Amino acid sequence: MSTAVTTSTQERQGPLDRLRALQRAGRIAADYPAVPALLAELAQSEDAYAELARAGRLLVKQRAEDIAALHDGVRPAAVAVTGHGIVDALIPSLTAELARHGVPLTASVSDYDAWQRDLQDTGSDLYAPGTELALCLLDGQQIFDELPLPWNVEDATRALTGKLQLLDRLAAQYGEHGPGTLVLNTLPLLRSHTQQLVDHRSRTELAAAWHEFNAGLLRLAGRHPRLHVVDLGPIVAETGPVRDTRLAAYAKVHLGEAVLARYAREAAHLLRALRGRTKKVLVVDLDNTLWDGILGDDGPDGIAAATTYRGEAFHRFQRTVKQIGSQGVLLAVSSKNDQEPVLGVLRDHPDMVLREDDFVRVNANWQPKDGNLRDIAARLNLGVDSFVFADDSPFECGLVASSLPEVAVVRLDEEPALHVEKLLADGWFDTRELTAEDRLRAGQYRSEAGRQDLLESTGSMEEYLAALDVRVEVSGVRDVELARVAQITLRTNQFNLTTERLQQADVRARLDDGAHLVLAVRSRDRFGDNGVVGALFARREGTALVVDNLLLSCRVFARGIEQGTVATLLAHARATGATEVRASYRPTPKNHKVRDFWPSLGFRTAHESPEGALDFVHDLAELPEVPGHLGLTFDPAGA
């Protein structure tokens, strides 16, 4: 009887209560894999940011190193924080926001108003080895603290111009010496500042100069690859007051907790993108998600997504989904409906913004939705951890959240006007830069249907590959491909031999280093151009060529591209005087399928660590051949 009571009590507890129970029991480190699910529940609450901050205050008591020691694959984030005002309130929110993604935080917070010294001193925590994010929190008060008394618009404009020039120089220095990404932010302009000018013309001129400064600051991110600028404008518009006036006056807290909590979410999204954990697929429900009504009950004439009062909200949601899909996010459907009526609506219903061709997969059936998501993932050759699932049904959301915890679940509700906000709240698809391949991705996945038809119509894999007419080009990375090659290192998980993640600045540094070889792998076939699908990083070390990493997109697996690339690389190594080629495999939860890749091409094992890391060597005596069905060109000097 007592057991039943305990279970009932646990079921009634909210996620914050359950987290407190873990903390009291000393189980947060041991049960850390369960923490993201608890925080996901908190993130859906009405007072989400405050609740997450409370959870963060519990989590900061647990050392990130202890968590990582207990769980394979958990890698803490080293974040250094500095600023003009007191920003300690950022840490609980940042701890919780990162923990939502399974990332423990190791943070260092600098002294009050030490931001300039920290950025100038390459020995500060911002420059410490392993630092992933260097957060430099700026606020408008630091401009006014520097003005003479009395001051005018010209004084403020000079101060803003000087500050922008200083930040430009400091960002350049960080780009040269910093290990991670420097994060700055735009400056809010407060009424208590503008109203110190009594004439409207001066206030207007000050506002114009202020906006020009912020625009210039945002543009700096385009000039410095290791710089990211958070625009506080949208955050302030959502939160209201920038600060508590009394805390600003007495405690030098120039950015309030509400602003810092939302800034923390932006910082966590950035780190998630930098680690290559951007989501790739949005799977949506249909009834009361994409349209108002239930197709099976109301029929095509009884649903709406434009022409009724509620229908307009669904119309706005469909427009947002289509906008996301136009930028490389793959769209799919999982709906409890019959397939043909659904396809009829997507093809012909006058209210629909989204059409059948916008989706790479439409699963309309009566199977459980967790199984449907697994089916979509298998057909796209992607992991479910790259999926976002949006549904208005609490049951379906709960089923997917419990059965597939790797899937990001967006819980919609009965108010369609809030669908867009809920979908966009967590920036699941955020990426540092959109590439040409991103915009073409949906079409490339849709062309897989033609390849699948060809495979099914041929008698063997050899026959299929010959008919596919695969053409591969392996050559130096072109400037326009820099972002794409960096993206491949960040987002490729399955065919990634060492999982070394590189930012654009890192790729550029290797391109500029004569000892390194950086190659892009491009492919096309009878169904279209796949663009840059892989990358190879190598370097000379004496008479050896050392392969640092080889990566290939899951879209082009099993076509011989990887074998052809390595065969030509080995031939090139021997022709240029190398006596051996070395390569490595570093195991992760997702790349186990490529563990035997190097041995399959004649490499012998030179060393194996207790953790399963393997080092290989090829003596270049007998070289593998390029698969006969490939048309391959290799030009390491070309770009």
Side-chain angles (χ1 to χ4, degrees):
M1 186 67 180
S2 60
T3 301
V5 171
T6 302
T7 302
S8 176
T9 300
Q10 289 176 342
E11 289 176 352
R12 288 197 302 270
Q13 287 182 331
L16 192 56
D17 293 323
R18 282 175 275 162
L19 188 64
R20 289 192 181 106
L22 287 178
Q23 199 270 334
R24 286 194 299 269
R27 296 286 304 173
I28 284 182
D31 293 346
Y32 195 75
V35 169
L38 297 177
L39 299 179
E41 287 187 58
L42 287 178
Q44 300 288 332
S45 64
E46 291 186 7
D47 197 17
Y49 289 101
E51 289 286 277
L52 286 169
R54 294 184 186 102
R57 284 190 278 274
L58 297 174
L59 294 171
V60 294
K61 300 174 183 178
Q62 181 65 58
R63 282 173 20 103
E65 295 81 2
D66 295 338
I67 297 171
L70 294 173
H71 305 287
D72 292 339
V74 172
R75 181 161 63 96
V79 178
V81 183
T82 189
H84 170 246
I86 299 296
V87 293
D88 298 70
L90 172 69
I91 301 305
S93 292
L94 185 59
T95 300
E97 292 291 352
L98 287 172
R100 288 181 63 196
H101 310 298
V103 179
L105 173 64
T106 299
S108 64
V109 182
S110 190
D111 298 332
Y112 166 72
D113 199 22
W115 69 273
Q116 185 171 336
R117 181 192 67 203
D118 290 338
L119 278 173
Q120 289 173 329
D121 180 9
T122 57
S124 73
D125 287 344
L126 275 62
Y127 291 88
T131 298
E132 291 186 72
L133 293 181
L135 306 180
C136 180
L137 284 142
L138 307 174
D139 59 76
Q141 188 60 44
Q142 64 197 96
I143 299 294
F144 291 95
D145 285 348
E146 298 176 3
L147 298 184
L149 189 65
W151 60 270
N152 56 34
V153 174
E154 289 74 19
D155 295 321
T157 301
R158 278 193 297 271
L160 289 165
T161 301
K163 192 69 67 182
L164 186 60
Q165 292 170 348
L166 172 63
L167 292 170
D168 191 4
R169 292 193 300 272
L170 293 174
Q173 176 179 300
Y174 193 85
E176 184 177 354
H177 301 289
T181 296
L182 171 64
V183 181
L184 303 177
N185 58 270
T186 58
L187 307 185
L189 179 61
L190 306 183
R191 191 172 185 274
S192 60
H193 296 144
T194 60
Q195 300 308 105
Q196 293 180 40
L197 297 169
V198 298
D199 64 296
H200 290 171
R201 178 178 294 277
S202 293
R203 292 176 187 170
T204 300
E205 291 173 353
L206 175 62
W210 203 273
H211 288 303
E212 288 166 5
F213 167 85
N214 281 333
L217 185 58
L218 289 164
R219 291 191 185 98
L220 289 185
R223 291 167 47 188
H224 302 290
R226 290 194 183 277
L227 174 64
H228 179 79
V229 180
V230 174
D231 186 1
L232 288 190
I235 291 176
V236 172
E238 183 179 83
T239 62
V242 172
R243 65 185 189 182
D244 181 292
T245 303
R246 289 166 297 183
L247 285 175
Y250 299 130
K252 308 301 182 186
V253 178
H254 299 305
L255 295 173
E257 288 191 14
V259 171
L260 290 176
R262 286 158 177 80
Y263 174 95
R265 179 164 295 183
E266 295 296 318
H269 292 174
L270 173 62
L271 186 127
R272 188 181 63 206
L274 291 171
R275 286 194 172 187
R277 295 176 60 180
T278 295
K279 302 292 186 180
K280 301 175 182 178
V281 185
L282 172 59
V283 182
V284 293
D285 176 44
L286 296 177
D287 294 333
N288 292 320
T289 296
L290 281 194
W291 57 61
D292 186 23
I294 299 175
L295 179 60
D297 294 341
D298 305 323
D301 294 336
I303 63 174
T307 52
T308 66
Y309 182 73
R310 277 174 56 87
E312 290 296 333
F314 291 95
H315 182 80
R316 178 169 168 259
F317 184 65
Q318 285 203 27
R319 287 178 60 86
T320 301
V321 172
K322 191 177 183 79
Q323 171 68 15
I324 290 173
S326 73
Q327 298 167 84
V329 176
L330 304 177
L331 305 180
V333 166
S334 176
S335 171
K336 287 194 172 177
N337 267 301
D338 292 323
Q339 183 86 355
E340 285 308 312
V342 164
L343 294 179
V345 169
L346 293 176
R347 290 167 184 164
D348 303 322
H349 198 289
D351 284 6
M352 296 301 120
V353 174
L354 290 161
R355 295 297 183 184
E356 182 183 3
D357 287 346
D358 290 309
F359 298 98
V360 295
R361 181 74 183 169
V362 176
N363 273 17
N365 54 47
W366 299 95
Q367 301 302 313
K369 291 199 174 182
D370 55 343
N372 264 323
L373 264 62
R374 291 190 184 95
D375 174 72
I376 295 169
R379 292 178 181 274
L380 297 178
N381 198 21
L382 293 170
V384 292
D385 62 338
S386 63
F387 278 45
V388 175
F389 173 65
D391 199 307
D392 69 298
S393 165
F395 170 79
E396 302 292 359
C397 289
L399 172 66
V400 171
S402 61
S403 178
L404 301 173
E406 315 96 305
V407 175
V409 176
V410 178
R411 294 176 172 86
L412 307 176
D413 55 30
E414 296 179 356
E415 178 46 79
L418 300 179
H419 282 9
V420 170
E421 288 184 19
K422 290 178 180 291
L423 177 63
L424 301 180
D426 281 306
W428 293 115
F429 307 108
D430 288 2
T431 184
R432 284 300 302 274
E433 183 173 341
L434 206 61
T435 67
E437 280 79 3
D438 289 330
R439 298 185 185 278
L440 298 173
R441 184 174 293 115
Q444 290 169 341
Y445 271 91
R446 281 194 294 270
S447 68
E448 284 300 312
R451 295 184 182 93
Q452 188 64 33
D453 290 343
L454 176 64
L455 176 61
E456 293 173 358
S457 67
T458 51
S460 66
M461 180 59 72
E462 291 76 14
E463 209 178 306
Y464 163 70
L465 291 173
L468 192 56
D469 191 24
V470 180
R471 296 284 182 255
V472 179
E473 178 190 355
V474 182
S475 68
V477 176
R478 300 158 188 155
D479 285 344
V480 296
E481 297 169 339
L482 190 64
R484 171 58 178 162
V485 170
Q487 183 187 72
I488 286 173
T489 75
L490 294 171
R491 299 178 65 172
T492 300
N493 295 306
Q494 296 181 62
F495 199 104
N496 189 335
L497 275 301
T498 62
T499 60
E500 184 180 16
R501 310 296 187 183
L502 301 175
Q503 304 302 323
Q504 284 192 49
D506 302 317
V507 178
R508 169 56 69 189
R510 296 194 185 194
L511 283 170
D512 293 341
D513 185 342
H516 281 264
L517 183 65
V518 183
L519 302 175
V521 182
R522 310 169 192 88
S523 80
R524 56 187 173 85
D525 57 40
R526 62 184 284 184
F527 293 100
D529 191 339
N530 291 302
V532 177
V533 296
L536 188 146
F537 298 88
R539 55 188 161 83
R540 288 303 288 259
E541 199 172 272
T543 60
L545 181 68
V546 180
V547 179
D548 290 318
N549 205 5
L550 174 64
L551 310 100
L552 192 70
S553 169
C554 59
R555 289 188 288 116
V556 294
F557 281 1
R559 298 177 194 174
I561 295 172
E562 57 272 38
Q563 290 87 354
T565 298
V566 173
T568 53
L569 177 74
L570 295 176
H572 168 73
R574 187 165 71 176
T576 54
T579 59
E580 64 181 20
V581 174
R582 302 174 196 157
S584 302
Y585 165 76
R586 299 293 180 261
T588 72
K590 297 182 181 179
N591 72 352
H592 60 277
K593 291 182 179 179
V594 296
R595 184 181 188 277
D596 298 323
F597 173 71
W598 294 118
S600 73
L601 291 169
F603 285 76
R604 64 175 176 82
T605 302
H607 179 261
E608 180 174 1
S609 75
E611 295 77 27
L614 296 166
D615 295 317
F616 302 96
V617 64
H618 198 295
D619 62 13
L620 301 179
E622 295 185 21
L623 301 183
E625 296 183 354
V626 175
H629 67 273
L630 286 185
L632 191 147
T633 60
F634 185 85
D635 182 12

